[in-house]
């Protein structure tokens, strides 16, 4: 009875206490602006207990992604957080006197570690079809990566071959797939990276991997992975960074101070647990632990502990809730007095098509320039193009009046443009490869480098064994 579920809706912006009517908290979030996708109607939803950003990651802003199509994994939480901070900065509510919170932990922004986007090495590559994840368990059971000629190539990149760390296998598959279209000796029309497990028993494979078998058989042109090699491509899979939080899931501003009433959990959050890479078991535990922590915070049950920090957190949260309640009451009274009710608005079909076309182009830019293997020059190009796309997304949104008239396609583009630009800027600023972030310095930069940029900060496997990859590049 205390939960109201609204389907087919998307959040367009966060609402904060602009005039400080709640008193005491400068950066207090009190709700969200919500667009009904079917009715094209925007309304304000308020939250005394807090707003939780939990929209998942941003893998959907890439041309190849394991995330489902549609308004999904477009970095909405990142976009909402960045736009919130932009508005707070312009309203002078955000000061920059400090870059650490009360626990002494250093932060580099309301979002952080966004360059660490993990790519799954093997998604099903079939033109004009959504990418389908081919589990790493296939390689664990003996599947071999081969090129179009049937040559096994994984050991060219690492002694452990197909069982090397995920980021290395993803780069190997990416580099081999690029050969067919970059003068590597192959036919430009022939894909050059495949997964082959046809040497294992057919019936055993069908029992071991029933979902893969069913998916391939359900196609208009069925495929049998027990008898033939399957075309694969890396695909954006998981966002290691995200909206910066503390150990309780509270969102942290660029100056290190807490945002009142704003939390993040799941893939949307940057908790710091993943570092430069991500393990599935770690992300599952992170979601459970931090999700529970955020749940306790918004319920006002901060901790069963009696130490000073737990008591301080509880007191802070309860006071923020009290202030949020007062600010919301003031806001509702103002809306009633000014008759700010919303009505459904017709969407301009031309704007919808324009937004969809720009988003398609954005995904290509992210894949080509901010993908598996990065260079400073391509990242700089991406930053320039994505900055223009963000401005165009804002223009489309503002021209519609910032409401239902824009359509959800513009909302999707706006989120993707903000999050994509943030990823590109983070990647460009970090010249040190590590885990999911792999940057190859151009010759001029390499000469001035100590040599640590190509393999420092990553997993133990980011070492001299990867030299063949450098040679290919």
């Amino acid at each position: 009875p205390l939960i109201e579920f609204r389907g087919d809706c998307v959040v367009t912006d966060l609402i904060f206490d602009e005039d400080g009517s709640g008193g005491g908290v400068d950066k207090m979030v009190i709700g969200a602006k919500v667009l009904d996708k079917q009715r094209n109607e925007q309304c304000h939803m308020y939250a005394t207990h807090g707003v939780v950003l939990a929209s998942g990651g941003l893998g959907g802003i890439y041309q190849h992604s394991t995330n489902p199509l549609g308004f999904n994994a477009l970095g909405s939480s990142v976009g909402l957080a960045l736009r919130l901070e932009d508005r707070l900065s312009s309203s002078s509510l955000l000061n920059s006197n400090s870059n650490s919170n009360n626990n002494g932990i250093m932060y580099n922004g309301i979002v952080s570690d966004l360059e660490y986007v993990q790519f799954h090495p093997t998604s099903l590559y079939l033109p004009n079809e959504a990418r389908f994840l081919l589990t790493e368990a296939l390689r664990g059971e003996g599947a071999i990566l081969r090129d179009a000629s049937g040559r096994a190539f994984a050991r060219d990149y690492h002694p452990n071959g197909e069982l090397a760390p995920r980021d290395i296998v993803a780069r190997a598959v990416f580099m081999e797939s690029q050969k067919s279209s970059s003068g590597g000796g192959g036919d430009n029309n022939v894909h050059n990276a495949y997964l082959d497990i046809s040497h294992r028993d057919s019936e055993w494979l069908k029992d071991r991997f029933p979902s893969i078998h069913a998916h391939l058989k359900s196609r208009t042109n069925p495929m049998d992975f027990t008898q033939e090699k399957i075309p694969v491509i890396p695909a954006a899979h998981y966002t290691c960074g995200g909206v910066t939080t503390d150990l309780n899931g509270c969102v942290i501003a660029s100056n290190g101070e807490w945002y009142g009433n704003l939390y993040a959990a799941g893939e949307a959050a940057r908790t710091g647990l993943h570092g430069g890479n991500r393990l599935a078991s770690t992300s599952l535990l992170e979601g459970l632990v931090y999700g529970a922590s955020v749940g306790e915070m918004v319920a006002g049950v901060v901790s069963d502990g009696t130490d000073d920090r737990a008591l301080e957190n509880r007191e802070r949260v309860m006071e923020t809730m009290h202030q949020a309640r007062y600010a919301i009451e003031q806001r509702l009274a103002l809306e009633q007095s000014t008759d700010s009710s919303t009505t459904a608005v017709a969407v301009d079909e031309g704007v919808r098509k324009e937004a969809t076309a720009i988003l398609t182009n954005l995904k290509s830019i992210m894949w080509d320039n901010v993908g598996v293997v990065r260079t400073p020059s391509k990242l700089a190009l991406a930053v320039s193009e994505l900055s223009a796309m963000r401005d165009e997304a804002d223009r489309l949104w503002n021209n519609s009046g910032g409401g239902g008239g824009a359509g959800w396609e513009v909302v999707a583009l706006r989120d993707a443009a903000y999050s994509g630009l943030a990823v590109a800027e983070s990647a460009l600023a970090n010249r040190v490869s590590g885990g999911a972030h792999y940057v190859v310095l151009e010759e001029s930069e390499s000469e001035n480098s100590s040599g640590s940029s190509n393999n420092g900060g990553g997993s133990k496997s980011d070492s001299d064994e990867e030299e063949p990859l450098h040679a290919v590049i």
Side-chain angles (χ1 to χ4, degrees):
L2 297 179
I3 298 176
E4 178 185 355
F5 176 79
R6 293 200 180 185
D8 249 350
C9 294
V10 293
V11 175
T12 63
D13 284 293
L14 298 174
I15 303 172
F16 67 96
D17 185 22
E18 298 179 60
D19 55 10
S21 59
V25 180
D26 289 337
K27 301 179 293 298
M28 182 168 61
V29 175
I30 57 175
K33 298 178 182 179
V34 178
L35 176 69
D36 186 313
K37 291 168 59 178
Q38 297 301 318
R39 299 171 60 188
N40 296 316
E41 179 179 313
Q42 184 169 260
C43 67
H44 293 178
M45 297 185 68
Y46 296 104
T48 299
H49 284 257
V51 175
V52 182
L53 300 176
S55 65
L58 46 76
I61 66 176
Y62 284 88
Q63 181 180 6
H64 302 291
S65 171
T66 60
N67 298 108
L69 299 175
F71 198 118
N72 185 69
L74 296 177
S76 294
S77 291
V78 169
L80 289 168
L82 289 171
R83 291 196 294 274
L84 172 67
E85 188 142 285
D86 285 348
R87 295 201 308 279
L88 284 170
S89 297
S90 63
S91 65
S92 301
L93 285 178
L94 187 68
N95 65 71
S96 56
N97 296 328
S98 169
N99 62 351
S100 65
N101 71 354
N102 294 343
N103 294 325
I105 302 173
M106 303 299 289
Y107 297 100
N108 60 7
I110 191 172
V111 295
S112 49
D113 290 348
L114 289 178
E115 65 267 39
Y116 298 103
V117 178
Q118 186 179 68
F119 294 85
H120 195 284
T122 53
S123 71
L124 179 63
Y125 178 73
L126 295 171
N128 303 317
E129 292 189 20
R131 300 293 162 256
F132 178 78
L133 190 148
L134 297 172
T135 174
E136 290 183 304
L138 282 166
R139 286 181 280 120
E141 296 291 1
I144 300 171
L145 290 167
R146 302 185 186 278
D147 63 16
S149 68
R151 182 184 68 87
F153 62 78
R155 292 189 183 277
D156 294 348
Y157 298 88
H158 194 276
N160 291 341
E162 285 80 6
L163 300 182
R166 180 179 289 185
D167 56 296
I168 294 176
V169 179
R171 292 197 289 271
V173 174
F174 173 77
M175 296 309 301
E176 292 298 317
S177 68
Q178 293 294 101
K179 287 183 178 181
S180 62
S181 59
S182 60
D187 184 335
N188 285 348
N189 297 317
V190 176
H191 189 62
N192 200 49
Y194 296 82
L195 195 63
D196 181 14
I197 198 171
S198 60
H199 53 282
R200 298 297 302 269
D201 179 73
S202 176
E203 293 305 314
W204 179 85
L205 286 172
K206 293 175 184 177
D207 290 339
R208 177 69 176 85
F209 302 104
S211 296
I212 294 175
H213 174 65
H215 178 80
L216 294 174
K217 282 298 183 183
S218 67
R219 299 182 63 252
T220 304
N221 298 310
M223 300 179 70
D224 185 353
F225 78 112
T226 72
Q227 301 296 323
E228 58 184 312
K229 61 182 186 288
I230 304 299
V232 294
I233 194 81
H237 185 56
Y238 193 89
T239 311
C240 297
V243 181
T244 312
T245 70
D246 66 6
L247 294 179
N248 294 306
C250 300
V251 173
I252 305 296
S254 290
N255 60 2
E257 297 178 359
W258 282 294
Y259 273 102
N261 243 26
L262 183 62
Y263 307 88
E267 192 176 348
R270 183 274 186 193
T271 62
L273 287 182
H274 297 299
N277 239 328
R278 167 257 182 187
L279 295 174
S281 54
T282 305
S283 59
L284 290 172
L285 287 171
E286 179 195 42
L288 288 170
V289 173
Y290 281 85
S293 177
V294 169
E296 290 180 350
M297 293 290 284
V298 298
V301 185
V302 177
S303 173
D304 292 331
T306 57
D307 58 273
D308 291 343
R309 180 170 296 174
L311 293 174
E312 180 183 336
N313 282 340
R314 178 178 174 78
E315 182 178 344
R316 175 173 61 86
V317 170
M318 298 306 293
E319 178 63 21
T320 301
M321 288 182 183
H322 173 74
Q323 294 164 355
R325 182 178 291 107
Y326 182 77
I328 291 169
E329 290 173 352
Q330 296 293 104
R331 181 67 67 93
L332 289 173
L334 178 63
E335 289 180 359
Q336 290 174 359
S337 66
T338 57
D339 188 25
S340 58
S341 58
T342 60
T343 56
V345 180
V347 178
D348 186 327
E349 290 301 320
V351 171
R352 273 184 164 170
K353 292 179 179 178
E354 183 179 0
T356 300
I358 295 173
L359 181 57
T360 299
N361 188 29
L362 182 149
K363 293 180 179 183
S364 295
I365 289 173
M366 291 299 297
W367 178 256
D368 292 338
N369 302 293
V370 200
V372 181
V373 177
R374 303 159 176 177
T375 65
S377 60
K378 284 191 173 184
L379 290 171
L381 174 63
V383 167
S384 175
E385 294 187 340
L386 291 168
S387 180
M389 287 183 173
R390 182 198 58 185
D391 293 344
E392 181 65 10
D394 279 338
R395 184 190 67 80
L396 292 174
W397 176 254
N398 293 330
N399 285 352
S400 73
W408 70 266
E409 292 86 353
V410 175
V411 180
L413 170 63
R414 195 162 165 246
D415 286 344
Y418 271 84
S419 59
L421 177 58
V423 172
E425 289 178 334
S426 296
L428 181 60
N430 185 358
R431 295 292 206 271
V432 179
S433 293
H437 172 57
Y438 189 84
V439 58
V440 179
L441 300 183
E442 275 97 357
E443 185 174 349
S444 59
E445 291 198 46
S446 297
E447 291 175 353
N448 297 323
S449 158
S450 63
S452 62
S453 296
N454 280 337
N455 48 25
S459 58
K460 291 182 179 179
S461 53
D462 286 342
S463 60
D464 291 339
E465 285 100 345
E466 290 188 78
E467 283 305 313
L469 185 59
H470 293 263
V472 171
I473 293 171

